[in-house]
Amino acid sequence: MRIGIIGAGQLGQMLALAGFPLALGFRFLDSSPDAPGARVAPIVTGAFDDLASLRALAAEVDLVTYEFENVPVSALQEMAATRPCFPPVEALRVSQDRVLEKELFGRLGIPTPPFRTVDSRVELEAAVAAIGLPCVLKTRRLGYDGRGQRVLRRRADVAAAWEALGAAPLILEGFVAFDREVSIVGARSTTGETRAYPIVTNTHRAGILRVTVAPTRDARLQRAAEDHLRRVMDHFGYVGVLTLEFFVERGRLVANEMAPRVHNSGHWSIEGAVTSQFENHLRAILGLPLGDTSPVGHSAMVNFIGTMPERGRVLAIPGVHLHDYGKAPRPGRKLGHGTVVARTAAERDAVLRRLLRLIPR
Ligand code: AMP
């Protein structure tokens, strides 16, 4: 059995690594021949919307999945016509547009921040008046890791934000004064079996995930997050791993966004859970029994962003697992991560503090 993965970034690489013990083979499609995945499986080099490249990938594999959201829907449709393709194209389409995503959450009874679509300066003024300050202006599409968004705190910020983002279709959201951010990762298989991981707490800096702490033990929030996840999965007849990100505002979940793929806030599960999100994604798309999502201890994952800490210094900390994606350093780029797994939360926090000392503040 050979699986095609659209995108050969670190998520694709970790998917392939999880598949080798199951005797699965892999091919990637990526525009860059030396993307991280190149170290573990051949890459069909080409643009994600190039028909000849998509067909070349399809010809070599039994099944197709993807590791990032900005795959053109038309490309995936093209693939889905010849090979089983998971997660469903419709989930990808909705996840690519923050307005469609929030409208869906609303229909499914999942709370979101207040929002308005914005296509003109006049609509922006009206949306700011309706939602109030502070608020967040974002591009509807192609935004990730905090790119394509501006927080508006004063009236005077409106003009500059419009200047910066106004060329694209936009969404204005109410600013959520959150207590913390959490996410849930779950898997649904072709058989309809579902499993969810424990919710985790995420800390972002400049819109980029920096630290994930797992698990977050809160039975009420866990139940609510699992309920929201199941609703979204059932809506799409979902297959694969799905992630929902939430703000916790005054003790209640407010949905920020969904990702129809394995997720950075699930990396801890490689060493910190009985079955990793990567293996469960593969099991789900192959219709195999899903693996246990229980944590095996107390974990924390730290992203290495822009620069890699010295390898020897990371490995010198007992209990830390290093993942170096082998990417060229660039500001804001995720180059690797380190995961701590410990027997107790206190032990985990002590090791986490040592790890955090190795990266820029
Ligand atoms: P996003 O690209 O939507 O995931 O946003 C990246 C990060 O920006 C989030 O994880 C939050 O830390 C912050 N953020 C995004 N939207 C809001 C909002 N409506 N209110 C407060 N903070 C936000």
Side-chain angles (χ1 to χ4, degrees):
M1 172 68 75
R2 196 183 290 148
I3 296 176
I5 303 178
I6 304 180
Q10 63 267 19
L11 298 177
Q13 182 192 18
M14 288 185 269
L15 273 170
L17 290 173
F20 292 143
L22 303 177
L24 300 172
F26 294 89
R27 289 285 182 281
F28 294 106
L29 172 65
D30 203 290
S31 53
S32 162
D34 45 31
R39 287 186 292 158
V40 293
I43 296 184
V44 174
T45 309
F48 301 119
D49 56 357
D50 172 49
L51 279 186
S53 304
L54 289 163
R55 286 191 187 126
L57 178 70
E60 293 193 39
V61 301
D62 304 289
L63 197 81
V64 174
T65 188
Y66 51 94
E67 56 119 49
F68 80 129
E69 279 114 298
N70 293 333
V71 181
V73 166
S74 57
L76 210 63
Q77 274 163 342
E78 175 74 22
M79 276 300 205
T82 60
R83 291 284 181 278
C85 201
F86 303 117
V89 181
E90 181 59 10
L92 178 76
R93 190 181 74 83
V94 171
S95 76
Q96 287 180 346
D97 184 328
R98 293 181 189 275
V99 171
L100 297 185
E101 198 172 67
K102 290 200 165 60
E103 285 173 349
L104 174 68
F105 290 154
R107 283 200 299 281
L108 297 177
I110 302 171
T112 65
F115 67 94
R116 292 277 190 289
T117 58
V118 170
D119 288 317
S120 67
R121 178 72 201 264
V122 173
E123 282 179 9
L124 177 58
E125 297 290 349
V128 172
I131 289 174
L133 295 166
C135 49
V136 188
L137 188 64
K138 302 180 180 179
T139 55
R140 283 176 67 163
R141 301 171 60 82
L142 301 178
Y144 67 99
D145 284 350
R147 287 171 222 207
Q149 52 180 280
R150 288 280 192 290
V151 179
L152 312 186
R153 298 187 188 280
R154 293 174 298 270
R155 296 274 335 155
D157 296 336
V158 174
W162 176 256
E163 191 64 32
L165 303 176
L170 302 172
I171 180 172
L172 187 76
E173 299 176 7
F175 183 87
V176 181
F178 53 82
D179 313 328
R180 58 202 161 97
E181 295 185 83
V182 300
S183 59
I184 187 161
V185 173
R188 184 175 185 277
S189 109
T190 55
T191 65
E193 182 190 5
T194 63
R195 296 240 186 184
Y197 287 88
I199 53 171
V200 299
T201 298
N202 301 316
T203 311
H204 295 82
R205 167 97 43 97
I208 307 179
L209 179 66
R210 189 151 180 267
V211 178
T212 294
V213 171
T216 300
R217 292 206 196 280
D218 183 319
R220 195 179 49 82
L221 287 186
Q222 181 75 31
R223 269 197 307 279
E226 283 188 27
D227 177 67
H228 296 335
L229 188 74
R230 292 239 156 77
R231 283 180 202 210
V232 177
M233 285 176 161
D234 290 346
H235 170 81
F236 289 116
Y238 197 84
V239 174
V241 158
L242 174 71
T243 307
L244 295 185
E245 292 184 76
F246 300 98
F247 304 113
V248 181
E249 188 189 31
R250 293 190 295 276
R252 118 185 204 282
L253 295 179
V254 176
N256 179 27
E257 59 182 357
M258 60 179 256
R261 55 170 171 79
V262 287
H263 195 257
N264 196 172
S265 70
H267 289 2
W268 67 275
S269 65
I270 297 175
E271 295 91 5
V274 177
T275 315
S276 78
Q277 63 163 347
F278 300 99
E279 182 174 335
N280 262 336
H281 181 73
L282 298 171
R283 291 189 190 207
I285 65 177
L286 293 167
L288 296 169
L290 296 181
D292 189 347
T293 50
S294 306
V296 295
H298 294 264
S299 301
M301 188 271 336
V302 177
N303 269 339
F304 302 134
I305 301 163
T307 53
M308 274 304 283
E310 205 186 300
R311 185 196 310 209
R313 296 184 70 195
V314 177
L315 294 176
I317 306 176
V320 175
H321 303 270
L322 174 64
H323 295 254
D324 182 341
Y325 310 147
K327 288 157 75 170
R330 199 188 299 151
R333 196 175 201 204
K334 291 174 182 169
L335 303 176
H337 73 268
T339 300
V340 178
V341 186
R343 276 184 302 268
T344 66
E347 242 177 80
R348 184 254 333 268
D349 294 344
V351 181
L352 173 60
R353 279 193 294 277
R354 288 183 66 185
L355 184 56
L356 287 174
R357 267 185 234 125
L358 301 185
I359 62 171
R361 301 206 139 254

